Amino acid sequence: MKALILVGGFGTRLRPLTLTVPKLLIDLGNKPMILHQIEALKSIGVTEVILAINYQPEAMTRFLKDYESKLGMKITCSQETEPLGTAGPLALAKDKLIDESGSPFFVLNSDVICEFPLEKMIKFHKAHGGEASIMVTEVDEPSKYGVVVMEETTGKVERFVEKPKTFVGNKINADIYLLNPSVLDRIEFRPTSIEREVFPKIAADRKLYAMVLTGLRMDIGQPRDYITGLELYLDALRNKGSSKLSSGSHIRGNVLIDESAVIEGGCVFGPDVAIGPECVVEEGVTLSRCTVMRGARIDKHACISNCIIGWNITVGQGACIEDMIILGEDVYVYDKIACNGCVPPS
Ligand code: GDD
Ligand code: MG
């Protein structure tokens, strides 16, 4: 079985992290975002993942080569020369997506991290016999999403309305599709939107079905959502009884520390903290609701809260960094510097 992940956009809302690293390679819970998706796909038997990309191909390709062998699956890129939207990339990768058995394939938007009930989705898809399945979830504010009106009992979609101007319902497209190869015959090779041009037509033909996604789902495109996403992800690890979470008298709530990180005494961590590989955290440091990525060095008695600390950063002694400060790569924060808040509430 195959899968395509749509990896467009520049991730501008996560700058400066995305100035040097493609958004999907940014870690969430000490793991590049895209790996959460690829591992979930692999676990249900997907053997080939195609990344539909339109920028930073070099960084992606380097990363993929590394993980292709680690994961034992084929991961390729399909690169656009101009942005083809959310459907055009499927037309571009058509030959790669079709296999001899004619089996359906997954399509994922890259922003999504959830519990990935993909096995359940395959069963759902086989049972309804339509042409396409989409995962949906309920939200309070549906206007910035694709909204689905469906028959509750069968899941048959009556209407699909992308970013509706007036209220049509609160079940939204949750970024995961399972499509029969015949859907490819509906897509022209040009910049085009699956949500505006393809799903409404399949729904009109009564061949689009929606399955309600339960449990954790997050969209981590913005700093505040990223921190909330980390919280949800660590919670999910806790609920699964994961042994990766740290424990001890210096730990408050959920904290994930890579085994290669060096942690000195007298620190207090948590809640909701991830400390990445090769980090050094000196004595008396306080960390809460934050990620500290690979190679960072946090000097004595520094304090970090509600922030994203990127790669190879040094935070000087006694510095205090709070409230949505995002540091990208190779930044040096001087001793005793206090920085507070630079992203307004969203
Ligand atoms: N390769 C490629 N080329 N990918 C693209 C392009 C492109 O030109 N344009 C967008 N994408 C990718 C994005 O990276 C993302 O993974 C996906 O397509 C969806 O685009 P977004 O720009 O993130 O759309 P959205 O968030 O406004 O809305 C989408 O997601 C919602 C749920 O998060 C829609 O699918 C909505 O229907 C949905 O509810
Ligand atoms: Mg999005």
Side-chain angles (χ1 to χ4, degrees):
M1 205 174 184
K2 299 186 180 187
L4 179 139
I5 306 179
L6 286 161
V7 191
F10 294 94
T12 45
R13 291 171 303 179
L14 281 181
R15 281 181 183 164
L17 296 164
T18 45
L19 290 177
T20 52
V21 171
K23 178 170 142 189
L24 282 190
L25 301 190
I26 293 174
D27 295 316
L28 182 87
N30 292 348
K31 188 190 285 189
M33 291 192 202
I34 197 150
L35 262 198
H36 292 268
Q37 301 176 333
I38 294 179
E39 286 181 358
L41 290 164
K42 183 185 156 70
S43 74
I44 52 111
V46 169
T47 51
E48 182 173 350
V49 175
I50 299 143
L51 302 183
I53 58 173
N54 60 15
Y55 89 119
Q56 287 182 320
E58 303 82 14
M60 264 313 192
T61 315
R62 268 199 308 279
F63 166 84
L64 296 180
K65 287 296 142 225
D66 217 28
Y67 276 94
E68 258 197 312
S69 49
K70 275 188 203 157
L71 293 172
M73 66 197 298
K74 191 167 172 192
I75 311 174
T76 56
C77 284
S78 168
Q79 203 197 332
E80 295 142 58
T81 48
E82 59 165 334
L84 289 175
T86 49
L90 274 69
L92 179 66
K94 188 172 183 173
D95 294 342
K96 292 183 172 199
L97 283 169
I98 294 177
D99 66 18
E100 317 78 54
S101 62
S103 48
F105 54 87
F106 280 102
V107 174
L108 270 63
N109 283 345
S110 58
D111 302 337
V112 65
I113 290 189
C114 63
E115 280 167 20
F116 296 108
L118 304 178
E119 197 77 73
K120 205 167 143 193
M121 193 172 192
I122 296 173
K123 286 201 187 108
F124 173 75
H125 188 76
K126 280 189 185 148
H128 67 60
E131 210 176 331
S133 301
I134 60 178
M135 207 95 88
V136 296
T137 186
E138 278 184 19
V139 295
D140 294 334
E141 186 18 88
S143 63
K144 54 181 183 166
Y145 299 100
V147 176
V148 157
V149 181
M150 62 191 258
E151 266 176 28
E152 292 297 325
T153 44
T154 60
K156 191 181 274 186
V157 175
E158 288 158 6
R159 287 169 71 203
F160 186 105
V161 190
E162 183 66 13
K163 318 254 161 48
K165 298 258 178 330
T166 53
F167 184 84
V168 272
N170 65 351
K171 286 209 179 58
I172 61 138
N173 166 16
D175 302 295
I176 301 177
Y177 322 136
L178 185 55
L179 309 177
N180 283 356
S182 59
V183 171
L184 295 169
D185 300 333
R186 296 175 177 266
I187 304 173
E188 290 172 34
F189 181 44
R190 62 175 169 85
T192 164
S193 157
I194 200 163
E195 298 89 348
R196 292 179 194 278
E197 300 191 46
V198 182
F199 287 155
K201 287 188 189 143
I202 309 180
D205 291 346
R206 318 292 283 158
K207 290 180 175 168
L208 181 65
Y209 286 78
M211 179 186 126
V212 178
L213 170 72
T214 49
L216 156 86
R217 175 185 179 275
M218 51 215 184
D219 181 346
I220 42 221
Q222 303 187 35
R224 265 178 215 284
D225 295 343
Y226 175 97
I227 299 285
T228 309
L230 176 66
E231 178 189 331
L232 293 173
Y233 175 70
L234 295 179
D235 256 352
L237 284 186
R238 170 75 64 199
N239 293 339
K240 277 187 230 156
S242 168
S243 58
K244 291 184 189 160
L245 293 172
S246 300
S247 54
S249 58
H250 63 305
I251 301 291
R252 313 268 182 272
N254 297 330
V255 174
L256 189 65
I257 304 177
D258 187 90
E259 55 191 22
S260 64
V262 176
I263 311 291
E264 294 185 357
C267 295
V268 179
F269 298 150
D272 307 318
V273 169
I275 302 174
E278 294 152 38
C279 288
V280 176
V281 184
E282 291 189 347
E283 66 177 68
V285 165
T286 308
L287 303 178
S288 64
R289 286 181 63 79
C290 67
T291 280
V292 179
M293 292 181 197
R294 179 185 290 276
R297 181 182 181 89
I298 316 295
D299 290 347
K300 281 179 197 159
H301 303 292
C303 168
I304 302 172
S305 162
N306 270 308
C307 291
I308 307 175
I309 307 297
W311 310 269
N312 302 318
I313 303 268
T314 301
V315 175
Q317 234 181 78
C320 183
I321 308 187
E322 297 178 314
D323 234 348
M324 291 298 124
I325 301 286
I326 306 167
L327 304 177
E329 189 162 11
D330 288 326
V331 178
Y332 191 100
V333 179
Y334 286 104
D335 293 356
K336 296 184 188 154
I337 289 283
C339 320
N340 188 310
C342 60
V343 177
S346 50

PDB file of all heavy atoms in Angstrom, residues 227-245:
ATOM      1  N   ILE A 227       3.032  24.304  21.284  1.00  0.00           N
ATOM      2  CA  ILE A 227       3.201  24.004  22.711  1.00  0.00           C
ATOM      3  C   ILE A 227       2.007  23.182  23.229  1.00  0.00           C
ATOM      4  O   ILE A 227       2.171  22.211  23.955  1.00  0.00           O
ATOM      5  CB  ILE A 227       3.340  25.314  23.544  1.00  0.00           C
ATOM      6  CG1 ILE A 227       4.578  26.110  23.097  1.00  0.00           C
ATOM      7  CG2 ILE A 227       3.410  25.001  25.038  1.00  0.00           C
ATOM      8  CD1 ILE A 227       5.906  25.571  23.551  1.00  0.00           C
ATOM      9  N   THR A 228       0.808  23.554  22.778  1.00  0.00           N
ATOM     10  CA  THR A 228      -0.365  22.757  23.164  1.00  0.00           C
ATOM     11  C   THR A 228      -0.238  21.345  22.592  1.00  0.00           C
ATOM     12  O   THR A 228      -0.565  20.362  23.248  1.00  0.00           O
ATOM     13  CB  THR A 228      -1.664  23.406  22.627  1.00  0.00           C
ATOM     14  OG1 THR A 228      -1.635  24.770  23.012  1.00  0.00           O
ATOM     15  CG2 THR A 228      -2.900  22.751  23.168  1.00  0.00           C
ATOM     16  N   GLY A 229       0.263  21.270  21.354  1.00  0.00           N
ATOM     17  CA  GLY A 229       0.465  19.967  20.719  1.00  0.00           C
ATOM     18  C   GLY A 229       1.429  19.107  21.523  1.00  0.00           C
ATOM     19  O   GLY A 229       1.206  17.906  21.708  1.00  0.00           O
ATOM     20  N   LEU A 230       2.482  19.727  22.018  1.00  0.00           N
ATOM     21  CA  LEU A 230       3.454  18.982  22.834  1.00  0.00           C
ATOM     22  C   LEU A 230       2.763  18.436  24.085  1.00  0.00           C
ATOM     23  O   LEU A 230       2.943  17.265  24.446  1.00  0.00           O
ATOM     24  CB  LEU A 230       4.617  19.910  23.217  1.00  0.00           C
ATOM     25  CG  LEU A 230       5.658  19.298  24.141  1.00  0.00           C
ATOM     26  CD1 LEU A 230       6.409  18.159  23.456  1.00  0.00           C
ATOM     27  CD2 LEU A 230       6.669  20.371  24.618  1.00  0.00           C
ATOM     28  N   GLU A 231       1.947  19.282  24.683  1.00  0.00           N
ATOM     29  CA  GLU A 231       1.226  18.870  25.894  1.00  0.00           C
ATOM     30  C   GLU A 231       0.336  17.650  25.593  1.00  0.00           C
ATOM     31  O   GLU A 231       0.362  16.646  26.307  1.00  0.00           O
ATOM     32  CB  GLU A 231       0.380  20.062  26.364  1.00  0.00           C
ATOM     33  CG  GLU A 231      -0.466  19.796  27.568  1.00  0.00           C
ATOM     34  CD  GLU A 231      -1.431  20.970  27.824  1.00  0.00           C
ATOM     35  OE1 GLU A 231      -1.123  22.122  27.476  1.00  0.00           O
ATOM     36  OE2 GLU A 231      -2.510  20.695  28.379  1.00  0.00           O
ATOM     37  N   LEU A 232      -0.409  17.743  24.471  1.00  0.00           N
ATOM     38  CA  LEU A 232      -1.319  16.643  24.115  1.00  0.00           C
ATOM     39  C   LEU A 232      -0.542  15.377  23.793  1.00  0.00           C
ATOM     40  O   LEU A 232      -0.926  14.269  24.173  1.00  0.00           O
ATOM     41  CB  LEU A 232      -2.173  17.038  22.906  1.00  0.00           C
ATOM     42  CG  LEU A 232      -3.178  18.157  23.130  1.00  0.00           C
ATOM     43  CD1 LEU A 232      -3.829  18.561  21.817  1.00  0.00           C
ATOM     44  CD2 LEU A 232      -4.235  17.705  24.128  1.00  0.00           C
ATOM     45  N   TYR A 233       0.570  15.562  23.087  1.00  0.00           N
ATOM     46  CA  TYR A 233       1.366  14.401  22.696  1.00  0.00           C
ATOM     47  C   TYR A 233       1.929  13.695  23.938  1.00  0.00           C
ATOM     48  O   TYR A 233       1.865  12.470  24.054  1.00  0.00           O
ATOM     49  CB  TYR A 233       2.501  14.858  21.768  1.00  0.00           C
ATOM     50  CG  TYR A 233       3.446  13.733  21.417  1.00  0.00           C
ATOM     51  CD1 TYR A 233       3.030  12.701  20.579  1.00  0.00           C
ATOM     52  CD2 TYR A 233       4.727  13.684  21.940  1.00  0.00           C
ATOM     53  CE1 TYR A 233       3.886  11.651  20.274  1.00  0.00           C
ATOM     54  CE2 TYR A 233       5.590  12.640  21.638  1.00  0.00           C
ATOM     55  CZ  TYR A 233       5.160  11.630  20.806  1.00  0.00           C
ATOM     56  OH  TYR A 233       6.001  10.584  20.516  1.00  0.00           O
ATOM     57  N   LEU A 234       2.440  14.492  24.879  1.00  0.00           N
ATOM     58  CA  LEU A 234       3.009  13.887  26.089  1.00  0.00           C
ATOM     59  C   LEU A 234       1.905  13.233  26.925  1.00  0.00           C
ATOM     60  O   LEU A 234       2.111  12.165  27.513  1.00  0.00           O
ATOM     61  CB  LEU A 234       3.761  14.943  26.916  1.00  0.00           C
ATOM     62  CG  LEU A 234       5.011  15.541  26.241  1.00  0.00           C
ATOM     63  CD1 LEU A 234       5.665  16.582  27.143  1.00  0.00           C
ATOM     64  CD2 LEU A 234       6.032  14.477  25.862  1.00  0.00           C
ATOM     65  N   ASP A 235       0.739  13.868  26.938  1.00  0.00           N
ATOM     66  CA  ASP A 235      -0.412  13.270  27.627  1.00  0.00           C
ATOM     67  C   ASP A 235      -0.747  11.907  27.036  1.00  0.00           C
ATOM     68  O   ASP A 235      -1.039  10.958  27.748  1.00  0.00           O
ATOM     69  CB  ASP A 235      -1.646  14.169  27.420  1.00  0.00           C
ATOM     70  CG  ASP A 235      -1.953  14.962  28.659  1.00  0.00           C
ATOM     71  OD1 ASP A 235      -1.328  14.715  29.699  1.00  0.00           O
ATOM     72  OD2 ASP A 235      -2.821  15.860  28.569  1.00  0.00           O
ATOM     73  N   ALA A 236      -0.717  11.869  25.676  1.00  0.00           N
ATOM     74  CA  ALA A 236      -1.051  10.604  25.003  1.00  0.00           C
ATOM     75  C   ALA A 236      -0.012   9.537  25.371  1.00  0.00           C
ATOM     76  O   ALA A 236      -0.356   8.374  25.593  1.00  0.00           O
ATOM     77  CB  ALA A 236      -1.107  10.805  23.490  1.00  0.00           C
ATOM     78  N   LEU A 237       1.267   9.939  25.459  1.00  0.00           N
ATOM     79  CA  LEU A 237       2.292   8.976  25.874  1.00  0.00           C
ATOM     80  C   LEU A 237       1.978   8.464  27.274  1.00  0.00           C
ATOM     81  O   LEU A 237       2.067   7.270  27.558  1.00  0.00           O
ATOM     82  CB  LEU A 237       3.683   9.634  25.888  1.00  0.00           C
ATOM     83  CG  LEU A 237       4.398   9.873  24.565  1.00  0.00           C
ATOM     84  CD1 LEU A 237       5.819  10.393  24.823  1.00  0.00           C
ATOM     85  CD2 LEU A 237       4.476   8.607  23.723  1.00  0.00           C
ATOM     86  N   ARG A 238       1.593   9.398  28.162  1.00  0.00           N
ATOM     87  CA  ARG A 238       1.249   9.028  29.557  1.00  0.00           C
ATOM     88  C   ARG A 238       0.098   8.029  29.550  1.00  0.00           C
ATOM     89  O   ARG A 238       0.152   7.002  30.211  1.00  0.00           O
ATOM     90  CB  ARG A 238       0.886  10.301  30.320  1.00  0.00           C
ATOM     91  CG  ARG A 238       0.286  10.102  31.682  1.00  0.00           C
ATOM     92  CD  ARG A 238       1.296   9.681  32.737  1.00  0.00           C
ATOM     93  NE  ARG A 238       2.312  10.707  32.977  1.00  0.00           N
ATOM     94  CZ  ARG A 238       3.493  10.471  33.554  1.00  0.00           C
ATOM     95  NH1 ARG A 238       3.811   9.260  33.948  1.00  0.00           N
ATOM     96  NH2 ARG A 238       4.374  11.442  33.730  1.00  0.00           N
ATOM     97  N   ASN A 239      -0.939   8.328  28.743  1.00  0.00           N
ATOM     98  CA  ASN A 239      -2.110   7.439  28.733  1.00  0.00           C
ATOM     99  C   ASN A 239      -1.789   6.053  28.204  1.00  0.00           C
ATOM    100  O   ASN A 239      -2.408   5.073  28.577  1.00  0.00           O
ATOM    101  CB  ASN A 239      -3.250   8.061  27.905  1.00  0.00           C
ATOM    102  CG  ASN A 239      -3.787   9.299  28.581  1.00  0.00           C
ATOM    103  OD1 ASN A 239      -3.615   9.472  29.799  1.00  0.00           O
ATOM    104  ND2 ASN A 239      -4.392  10.201  27.812  1.00  0.00           N
ATOM    105  N   LYS A 240      -0.780   6.001  27.312  1.00  0.00           N
ATOM    106  CA  LYS A 240      -0.382   4.695  26.775  1.00  0.00           C
ATOM    107  C   LYS A 240       0.553   3.969  27.743  1.00  0.00           C
ATOM    108  O   LYS A 240       1.034   2.879  27.456  1.00  0.00           O
ATOM    109  CB  LYS A 240       0.377   4.881  25.455  1.00  0.00           C
ATOM    110  CG  LYS A 240      -0.533   5.044  24.263  1.00  0.00           C
ATOM    111  CD  LYS A 240       0.317   5.055  22.990  1.00  0.00           C
ATOM    112  CE  LYS A 240      -0.049   6.227  22.118  1.00  0.00           C
ATOM    113  NZ  LYS A 240       0.965   6.674  21.204  1.00  0.00           N
ATOM    114  N   GLY A 241       0.909   4.624  28.839  1.00  0.00           N
ATOM    115  CA  GLY A 241       1.828   4.017  29.807  1.00  0.00           C
ATOM    116  C   GLY A 241       3.255   3.972  29.289  1.00  0.00           C
ATOM    117  O   GLY A 241       4.025   3.067  29.652  1.00  0.00           O
ATOM    118  N   SER A 242       3.624   4.936  28.453  1.00  0.00           N
ATOM    119  CA  SER A 242       4.961   4.917  27.857  1.00  0.00           C
ATOM    120  C   SER A 242       6.065   5.003  28.909  1.00  0.00           C
ATOM    121  O   SER A 242       5.991   5.791  29.850  1.00  0.00           O
ATOM    122  CB  SER A 242       5.096   6.095  26.891  1.00  0.00           C
ATOM    123  OG  SER A 242       6.436   6.255  26.513  1.00  0.00           O
ATOM    124  N   SER A 243       7.102   4.214  28.691  1.00  0.00           N
ATOM    125  CA  SER A 243       8.231   4.223  29.631  1.00  0.00           C
ATOM    126  C   SER A 243       9.219   5.335  29.290  1.00  0.00           C
ATOM    127  O   SER A 243      10.213   5.531  29.972  1.00  0.00           O
ATOM    128  CB  SER A 243       8.938   2.867  29.582  1.00  0.00           C
ATOM    129  OG  SER A 243       9.359   2.656  28.249  1.00  0.00           O
ATOM    130  N   LYS A 244       8.939   6.072  28.201  1.00  0.00           N
ATOM    131  CA  LYS A 244       9.879   7.122  27.787  1.00  0.00           C
ATOM    132  C   LYS A 244       9.802   8.354  28.689  1.00  0.00           C
ATOM    133  O   LYS A 244      10.718   9.166  28.712  1.00  0.00           O
ATOM    134  CB  LYS A 244       9.563   7.565  26.357  1.00  0.00           C
ATOM    135  CG  LYS A 244       9.863   6.521  25.315  1.00  0.00           C
ATOM    136  CD  LYS A 244       9.585   7.138  23.960  1.00  0.00           C
ATOM    137  CE  LYS A 244       9.635   6.116  22.856  1.00  0.00           C
ATOM    138  NZ  LYS A 244       8.918   6.601  21.677  1.00  0.00           N
ATOM    139  N   LEU A 245       8.687   8.524  29.396  1.00  0.00           N
ATOM    140  CA  LEU A 245       8.538   9.723  30.233  1.00  0.00           C
ATOM    141  C   LEU A 245       9.415   9.608  31.477  1.00  0.00           C
ATOM    142  O   LEU A 245       9.566   8.532  32.053  1.00  0.00           O
ATOM    143  CB  LEU A 245       7.072   9.913  30.625  1.00  0.00           C
ATOM    144  CG  LEU A 245       6.136  10.259  29.466  1.00  0.00           C
ATOM    145  CD1 LEU A 245       4.677  10.223  29.914  1.00  0.00           C
ATOM    146  CD2 LEU A 245       6.470  11.633  28.887  1.00  0.00           C
TER     147      LEU A 245
END
